[in-house]
Amino acid sequence: MRFDVTPSPSRCEPRPYGGGDPWLLRRAGSITRRTPGLHSDTDPRRGTSASRPTWSSVASIPGASLHLRAVASDLGLGGGQDVSDLDDVSALELTILMPCLDEFETLETCISKAQRYLDEHGIDGEVLIADNGSTDGSQSLARSLGARVVDIPVRGYGAALLGGVEAARGRYVVMGDADDSYDFMALTPFVDQLRAGADLVMGNRFKGGIAPGAMPRLHRYVGNPVLSGLGRRFFRTDIGDFHCGLRGFARDSIRDLDLQSTGMEFASEMVVRASLAGLTVTEVPTTLSPDGRSRPPHLRSWQDGWRHLRFLLMFSPRWLFVYPGIVAFLLGALTTFVIAVGPIEIGHIGFDVTTMVYSAALAVIGFQAILFWWLTRLYATAEGFLPPSPSYRRLASEWTLERGLVVGLLMFLLGIAIGVGQVIRWGNVEFGALDASQVVRIAVPSAMVLIIGFQTVMMSFFAAILTIPHRASPPTIAGD
């Protein structure tokens, strides 16, 4: 998670909307978060921690106060937080990063394996523990073993890893759980792929092997396959294990994604955002063993599973809104207009005006879902959550406010005209009784068209409001 004090072209997505207007830039600049509230152990290369700058000292530097106060305010930090690690990046080739919350039982094994891997393969690297508030002495144990520790006050799996990524000094980062379920002696496939140019290298436990008892049956046969399958379908990626905790990545590439999730859905966000950004994502087999802890894991199956699914849906508005909306709209509208001609029978089942009422409602629901997709896409693209695709650019340039008003008003007026025709017909019989089924057969399609036309007009105005150009900050006027 970052905020930039300088203009960020990657977050200024061009978006045309309304009357052939030129591309509009949503933001002229932003503030970049450098670290989610972390302070690091003493580094012998740069002296003692007492001689290194703290939040309060750096905040006194002109131009730095706004940036650091934004960080501190967002994460509830105060004075004394060490910020000197922020500019010391890529000093090493590899950081082996482990999030930690009360992992005293297994932490020594994991750190020892990671250190042995670095030594045996001659890699210039470090072992970094992103501690999330352990109370069992994990921090002291890690320090005594020679690992570097950063304290992440914001709770959550994603928060710990975000803080660890910001503190990492390696050009590449391999992250894995500190519960001894992953083999930190078998990182060569990840490192090789990263050296070959991959931005993100995912482990695949289903290809590498899952030891008996290492993964609950619900996760192995339902949760992971279903969520990973949806991820492949939604985001057109070949990754077979979206939630593997052992993965490697180029630090700068992942930081540039501006990841936000602080919970378990961070695992999905990394894959989704990397795929949407067009990064090089590869996969290697890895193994999963039963963890060495005597306590239950932090993972909550149903709650965390729902958070993963919710994230996948929110980052894929096509599958959340468009496809269900198109099916509902076409099915409802077609049924409505067919029954408007007369009742239909399929076998011994008849469909008449009652079915028409519900089918018209289905058409309106489907149309609303399509409108939600368009407004969501406009907002998500403007804010940088979703990259603009070629089809989106074409549609955004062609569907202007004026065209939306013309289409919507024509449909609205058509519905009004049909209604007026019914009133005239009623007057021709001196406002007496009419055949109820024939009245409904005309009134329902009329009401459906009227509602859809009105919604189109309102949506067009709302979309235009979302795309109003504005300055990110007021201009600075030089004074005497």
Side-chain angles (χ1 to χ4, degrees):
M1 294 185 286
R2 305 187 307 174
F3 308 123
D4 278 359
V5 292
T6 56
S8 176
S10 64
R11 296 298 305 276
C12 297
E13 298 293 354
R15 54 195 179 99
Y17 189 84
D21 289 343
W23 292 109
L24 306 175
L25 297 183
R26 177 76 170 104
R27 296 178 179 177
S30 54
I31 299 179
T32 290
R33 180 183 309 164
R34 288 295 181 190
T35 172
L38 51 87
H39 56 274
S40 176
D41 292 332
T42 299
D43 184 349
R45 297 177 301 170
R46 294 182 293 176
T48 64
S49 59
S51 66
R52 293 155 63 186
T54 63
W55 184 89
S56 56
S57 65
V58 177
S60 65
I61 301 173
S65 179
L66 175 62
H67 163 68
L68 292 175
R69 288 184 189 281
V71 174
S73 174
D74 189 51
L75 293 157
L77 305 178
Q81 289 289 357
D82 193 329
V83 296
S84 62
D85 286 327
L86 304 186
D87 297 321
D88 183 15
V89 298
S90 301
L92 305 172
E93 181 182 24
L94 179 64
T95 292
I96 300 177
L97 171 63
M98 304 179 199
C100 176
L101 178 58
D102 296 330
E103 305 287 4
F104 189 90
E105 290 181 284
T106 55
L107 192 58
E108 180 175 0
T109 301
C110 293
I111 292 176
S112 298
K113 288 182 177 180
Q115 291 172 336
R116 283 176 53 200
Y117 174 78
L118 294 174
D119 291 340
E120 292 180 4
H121 291 81
I123 296 176
D124 189 15
E126 64 173 349
V127 178
L128 176 63
I129 306 301
D131 190 79
N132 213 199
S134 296
T135 58
D136 64 350
S138 295
Q139 305 96 320
S140 299
L141 175 62
R143 293 185 181 102
S144 69
L145 294 170
R148 191 160 64 94
V149 178
V150 288
D151 297 320
I152 314 298
V154 179
R155 282 296 184 96
Y157 175 76
L161 288 170
L162 285 167
V165 171
E166 295 292 345
R169 296 170 183 155
R171 183 166 66 255
Y172 306 126
V173 177
V174 173
M175 55 174 258
D177 299 338
D179 59 4
D180 198 27
S181 58
Y182 294 108
D183 185 3
F184 287 103
M185 288 292 293
L187 302 183
T188 299
F190 295 89
V191 176
D192 288 345
Q193 289 288 319
L194 291 170
R195 287 171 172 170
D199 295 299
L200 173 61
V201 185
M202 293 293 299
N204 189 317
R205 298 164 293 183
F206 297 95
K207 291 182 178 179
I210 301 174
M215 183 184 293
R217 296 176 64 87
L218 178 65
H219 299 180
R220 183 170 184 175
Y221 298 108
V222 180
N224 276 294
V226 169
L227 292 173
S228 295
L230 291 176
R232 288 193 298 273
R233 171 66 65 179
F234 290 178
F235 304 103
R236 300 172 184 175
T237 178
D238 295 327
I239 297 302
D241 188 359
F242 261 56
H243 309 105
C244 181
L246 187 63
R247 60 186 71 183
F249 48 86
R251 178 180 181 271
D252 288 344
S253 297
I254 296 302
R255 288 180 76 246
D256 289 343
L257 294 178
D258 195 23
L259 303 179
Q260 300 291 326
S261 300
T262 59
M264 294 300 296
E265 66 272 26
F266 175 83
S268 293
E269 183 184 13
M270 181 183 290
V271 183
V272 169
R273 297 289 292 272
S275 299
L276 290 174
L279 298 185
T280 302
V281 183
T282 62
E283 190 176 57
V284 297
T286 191
T287 60
L288 182 69
S289 303
D291 67 62
R293 301 170 296 194
S294 60
R295 61 167 176 80
H298 299 299
L299 183 67
R300 296 162 295 181
S301 298
W302 293 105
Q303 183 174 344
D304 290 325
W306 161 243
R307 293 176 68 172
H308 282 287
L309 177 59
R310 180 182 65 183
F311 181 88
L312 294 177
L313 289 171
M314 288 194 301
F315 266 77
S316 182
R318 286 181 303 141
W319 287 91
L320 180 60
F321 296 120
V322 176
Y323 298 147
I326 290 176
V327 171
F329 176 74
L330 293 179
L331 179 61
L334 180 62
T335 303
T336 298
F337 288 119
V338 167
I339 296 179
V341 177
I344 59 175
E345 291 188 4
I346 300 178
H348 298 291
I349 302 176
F351 299 93
D352 205 344
V353 291
T354 301
T355 302
M356 176 188 283
V357 171
Y358 289 106
S359 62
L362 181 63
V364 171
I365 290 172
F367 188 74
Q368 287 177 332
I370 296 172
L371 297 188
F372 277 130
W373 162 76
W374 181 237
L375 297 175
T376 299
R377 197 64 170 83
L378 284 174
Y379 175 78
T381 302
E383 292 299 318
F385 302 144
L386 296 174
S389 64
S391 59
Y392 165 82
R393 292 180 186 274
R394 288 193 300 271
L395 184 58
S397 62
E398 294 174 2
W399 185 263
T400 64
L401 168 61
E402 291 74 20
R403 289 179 180 176
L405 292 179
V406 170
V407 172
L409 286 174
L410 287 176
M411 297 179 69
F412 185 82
L413 292 176
L414 176 61
I416 293 293
I418 295 174
V420 171
Q422 277 204 303
V423 173
I424 293 175
R425 182 186 175 195
W426 186 25
N428 291 336
V429 295
E430 299 181 354
F431 300 102
L434 295 173
D435 182 274
S437 64
Q438 292 302 319
V439 171
V440 172
R441 211 178 299 281
I442 298 175
V444 169
S446 172
M448 182 185 73
V449 172
L450 187 148
I451 292 171
I452 290 176
F454 180 79
Q455 290 180 334
T456 302
V457 171
M458 294 297 101
M459 180 277 294
S460 299
F461 273 114
F462 192 11
I465 291 172
L466 288 177
T467 56
I468 292 176
H470 67 278
R471 293 191 302 268
S473 59
T476 302
I477 302 176
D480 295 335

